[in-house]
Amino acid sequence: IYPKHGVGQIVAVETSVIAEIEMTYYKIQVTKDKLVLTIPVNQQGNLRPISSVNQINKAISILKGKPKIRRTMWSRRAQEYDQKINSGEIYQIAEVVRDLNKNTEIPVDQSYSERQLFEKAYDRLLGEVAIGLNISNEDAKKKLDKALGKKEGNNDADADRIAMIRTAIVLCYIVTNIFIIAGVIRHW
């Protein structure tokens, strides 16, 4: 696990000469982000192994807990959530997922930045759970959603219906205003 990018696989250990200094580094492939990282071996303290089954189970139990939302400004909380996500620690990531989970099937109930942070944390946790428990991403998603109390179903279809209804309302509002303005101009 590389904290800022999540689950990756060391694909090579290479040596090269940079400014007449020989350096050995890991080439780490992060498949989800289609990214290849180059991490010097002397900075391997930033890397950590995949969490054990017990650690993953504890993270899942964190998801089942009650959200702890502080009464501070959103910008401050967002910064704290981002720091927790980038720490790479599975328990902190699980806390972010738990706290930002709206337990609703409709993703439009969250602000854009809230949804982005939730998805970032959720994806990191999902990747580690899938690899750590040696299960598919779909099974890991079901496990996480069950812990979060989400129902199985077609969330995207519900969100699409709501988006279409909201779009229709906005279009009606715009058309009504155009007719009002046209009437005012005609009587002017």
Side-chain angles (χ1 to χ4, degrees):
I1 302 289
Y2 187 71
K4 294 198 185 272
H5 297 286
V7 177
Q9 180 179 7
I10 297 175
V11 292
V13 178
E14 297 180 356
T15 304
S16 65
V17 177
I18 301 171
E20 297 181 21
I21 299 173
E22 188 172 305
M23 293 193 65
T24 304
Y25 53 90
Y26 296 114
K27 284 238 178 203
I28 300 174
Q29 183 173 9
V30 181
T31 309
K32 186 183 81 58
D33 294 338
K34 297 179 182 134
L35 181 69
V36 177
L37 303 171
T38 304
I39 310 294
V41 172
N42 63 359
Q43 292 182 6
Q44 67 185 359
N46 293 334
L47 301 175
R48 72 166 177 82
I50 298 288
S51 297
S52 68
V53 173
N54 288 338
Q55 290 172 316
I56 291 172
N57 287 333
K58 184 176 177 188
I60 289 173
S61 70
I62 288 172
L63 296 179
K64 295 176 183 176
K66 187 176 179 184
K68 296 176 183 160
I69 299 177
R70 297 186 17 226
R71 300 269 182 234
T72 58
M73 291 181 59
W74 166 247
S75 59
R76 179 74 182 132
R77 283 197 326 260
Q79 189 178 26
E80 290 171 2
Y81 289 145
D82 202 40
Q83 286 174 349
K84 283 184 173 185
I85 294 168
N86 289 329
S87 74
E89 296 298 322
I90 190 168
Y91 302 142
Q92 290 188 5
I93 294 171
E95 287 173 6
V96 172
V97 171
R98 176 199 63 204
D99 293 347
L100 291 177
N101 177 42
K102 290 297 183 190
N103 205 8
T104 177
E105 304 303 318
I106 306 163
V108 243
D109 286 349
Q110 289 178 308
S111 71
Y112 177 76
S113 59
E114 214 175 356
R115 197 167 49 245
Q116 292 295 104
L117 281 173
F118 174 78
E119 288 173 1
K120 183 178 177 183
Y122 187 90
D123 288 345
R124 296 263 175 95
L125 189 58
L126 178 68
E128 189 158 0
V129 167
I131 301 266
L133 297 179
N134 198 21
I135 58 177
S136 70
N137 275 353
E138 292 80 24
D139 290 340
K141 184 176 181 350
K142 286 178 187 174
K143 194 171 197 65
L144 294 180
D145 287 350
K146 182 179 178 188
L148 291 169
K150 290 187 175 187
K151 299 174 191 159
E152 289 186 40
N154 194 352
N155 301 345
D156 292 339
D158 291 339
D160 288 345
R161 275 194 293 277
I162 289 170
M164 287 187 342
I165 291 169
R166 287 181 176 175
T167 303
I169 291 169
V170 168
L171 287 175
C172 288
Y173 177 76
I174 291 171
V175 169
T176 303
N177 284 337
I178 289 173
F179 281 118
I180 290 170
I181 292 170
V184 168
I185 291 173
R186 189 176 41 151
H187 290 296
W188 203 7

